[in-house]
Amino acid sequence: MFFANLHDDIGNDIYEHRFQEPNRLDEFHYPRFKQGKMKFSAIVCCFSGSEDWKAMMNTVLYVERKIQESRYFSFREDKEIQVFLAVEGMCGIQEEVEVKIQWLYEHHVRLGSLCWNDENALAIGAKKGNKPLTEKGIRVIKEMNRLHMAIDTSHCCEWNFYDIARVSKEAIIASHSNVKALYNHYRNLSDPQLQVVKAKNGLVGAICVRWFVKKKEDKATLQDYIEVIKYLKETIGVKHIALGFDFMDYIEGMEESNVIGIQDITEIGNIAAALKENGFQEEEIEKICFQNAVDFMKSYL
Ligand SMILES: [Zn+2]
């Protein structure tokens, strides 16, 4: 059983360690990927609201080069682990939006979300407020469609979400969000939003960070996380479920971020075992844990 991941902020992690650990991707992350049988993953560069375009370019260029130089990770299928670049938050894009989206595409970015939790020239995060997508945001979605870059709605507010769904001619995904019906976190999806993702042929990447499953102090467990996946199966079907881990355990002080039962990437096999115990069929587990994300993203690579 292999795994695929729609969200992992490793781009920021290796960029932040660029001076002390220039080989962190291969030396720190690779052994963990191997142990967890992670074969396909987003490498995310997150921009939280203060970064300008130059800062965005510097990060993307560094991370792109590290992947191209890696012994184990590749944008193609020629090495052990296939990856694609994702940008989470486009606060540095304020003018010439089409040119900048094209630049990102030329540098292997294949999945993008217009904002993080911030408000910028394109969009606004669910944490920050609820407003329509801006005119520039609409242009970005059209350009992403034209280039065939996948669209992620995991951070934007509901108003932006429905605007994006209306403007985009292609599928939309929520790469790392859970469901509001089970826990009302501002980044989790309401039932109508889930139906839109389904209708647009997209994916929901269930996130195992504990405060998207239950209140942080309630210390959600692996079984609580499985309940999210069961709910998604009932409401939108296995076809639209993937995993978006958003690991933070490798960040100092965040070691306890995941649900109890999945300490880090090396223990994700526990999810497959728990799904089986909860009555999921072998082929359903394979689709949720690996194939759905791979099939979806490969059409963009
Ligand atoms: Zn995020």
Side-chain angles (χ1 to χ4, degrees), residues 39-294:
K39 279 282 193 187
F40 185 87
S41 183
I43 302 287
V44 179
C45 301
C46 176
F47 302 104
S48 60
S50 59
E51 299 86 351
D52 62 12
W53 175 240
K54 195 158 182 255
M56 285 184 69
M57 286 196 296
N58 284 343
T59 307
V60 168
L61 282 174
Y62 177 83
V63 175
E64 181 189 42
R65 179 165 60 82
K66 283 293 153 183
I67 292 165
Q68 287 167 333
E69 290 172 1
S70 170
R71 289 177 62 184
Y72 313 108
F73 296 87
S74 173
F75 292 122
R76 299 188 302 273
E77 293 177 45
D78 55 346
K79 291 178 190 163
E80 235 174 287
I81 299 159
Q82 191 174 13
V83 293
F84 58 93
L85 277 184
V87 161
E88 180 182 44
M90 299 183 182
C91 50
I93 300 184
Q94 294 178 8
E95 67 283 316
E96 297 183 301
V97 303
E98 288 82 5
V99 175
K100 286 171 180 149
I101 297 296
Q102 284 162 29
W103 187 91
L104 292 174
Y105 188 86
E106 281 160 19
H107 292 279
H108 292 96
V109 174
R110 291 294 180 269
L111 173 66
S113 64
L114 276 55
C115 59
W116 184 67
N117 290 333
D118 58 315
E119 178 174 14
N120 60 39
L122 314 174
I124 177 168
K127 190 178 186 181
K128 188 97 181 178
N130 196 25
K131 294 182 186 177
L133 199 62
T134 69
E135 205 50 51
K136 284 176 183 170
I138 290 171
R139 280 167 54 196
V140 166
I141 296 299
K142 288 180 176 168
E143 187 62 12
M144 289 171 81
N145 278 175
R146 193 185 71 78
L147 292 166
H148 203 52
M149 187 191 288
I151 297 166
D152 188 359
T153 61
S154 251
H155 273 270
C156 68
C157 68
E158 281 205 37
W159 201 331
N160 280 187
F161 173 91
Y162 289 110
D163 279 347
I164 292 170
R166 181 175 47 80
V167 172
S168 175
K169 292 188 167 41
E170 297 201 18
I172 58 171
I173 70 166
S175 67
H176 56 304
S177 293
N178 289 338
V179 298
K180 270 204 166 73
L182 295 181
Y183 180 56
N184 190 14
H185 187 284
Y186 57 84
R187 285 222 311 93
N188 286 345
L189 301 170
S190 68
D191 285 1
Q193 285 180 297
L194 291 175
Q195 292 307 325
V196 170
V197 172
K198 179 184 177 180
K200 292 197 71 76
N201 230 350
L203 292 174
V204 175
I207 174 171
C208 65
V209 172
R210 63 172 65 163
W211 52 90
F212 294 94
V213 179
K214 267 187 174 178
K215 240 192 291 176
K216 199 171 183 178
E217 51 273 28
D218 288 347
K219 297 200 187 303
T221 62
L222 174 56
Q223 184 58 37
D224 295 322
Y225 179 58
I226 300 296
E227 296 301 327
V228 173
I229 298 175
K230 280 160 76 175
Y231 188 90
L232 287 169
K233 181 182 168 181
E234 278 164 32
T235 51
I236 57 174
V238 164
K239 197 179 157 197
H240 300 285
I241 311 173
L243 305 178
F245 290 95
D246 199 6
F247 294 117
M248 302 179 198
D249 51 82
Y250 53 73
I251 301 168
E252 212 183 309
M254 302 288 269
E255 294 82 0
E256 306 287 305
S257 57
N258 295 323
V259 296
I260 293 163
I262 317 169
Q263 181 69 30
D264 56 34
I265 192 171
T266 66
E267 295 186 358
I268 55 178
N270 295 349
I271 298 171
L275 285 170
K276 197 168 180 187
E277 281 167 26
N278 279 267
F280 283 75
Q281 303 298 311
E282 207 59 54
E283 69 266 31
E284 293 178 324
I285 300 171
E286 163 91 19
K287 281 179 181 156
I288 292 167
C289 293
F290 183 71
Q291 205 60 49
N292 286 346
V294 173

